[in-house]
Amino acid sequence: MPEQPRAEDLMTFPCEHLFKAMGPNSVVFIEKVRRAVAQTVPLSQDAVRTRASGKGNYLSVSVRVSLENFSQLTRIYADLRKIDELKFLL
């Protein structure tokens, strides 16, 4: 049976990556997502985008960043998972 590839071997670094977090439609949630990513990598002015759900109750916060290595990717996902209000993460 062939060996399964490791996740870190499936990506080439440096690379652009889009993190997408869904949660309540609030400025506080946006700031928590922004801070979680900014702890690991610098953010440009236009790195963070938001989109409200159809009824406006939820918000999708997308953050596009440049990653230098797999460790940054896993650290950011771990920090995003710590956000209490987080409903879904891509």
Side-chain angles (χ1 to χ4, degrees), residues 19-83:
F19 294 91
K20 195 172 273 201
M22 284 76 152
N25 189 348
S26 75
V27 175
V28 173
F29 179 69
I30 297 168
E31 183 58 22
K32 285 181 178 183
V33 171
R34 191 198 66 71
R35 273 189 277 144
V37 177
Q39 289 180 134
T40 302
V41 295
L43 296 181
S44 66
Q45 286 290 92
D46 61 343
V48 180
R49 306 266 172 150
T50 61
R51 182 174 177 194
S53 65
K55 294 183 180 179
N57 296 329
Y58 296 98
L59 195 66
S60 169
V61 181
S62 299
V63 186
R64 184 174 300 279
V65 296
S66 179
L67 299 175
E68 296 297 320
N69 54 56
F70 188 74
S71 174
Q72 289 178 324
L73 178 80
T74 57
R75 197 172 325 130
I76 291 169
Y77 274 121
D79 288 340
L80 288 168
R81 284 187 195 98
K82 292 177 187 174
I83 299 171

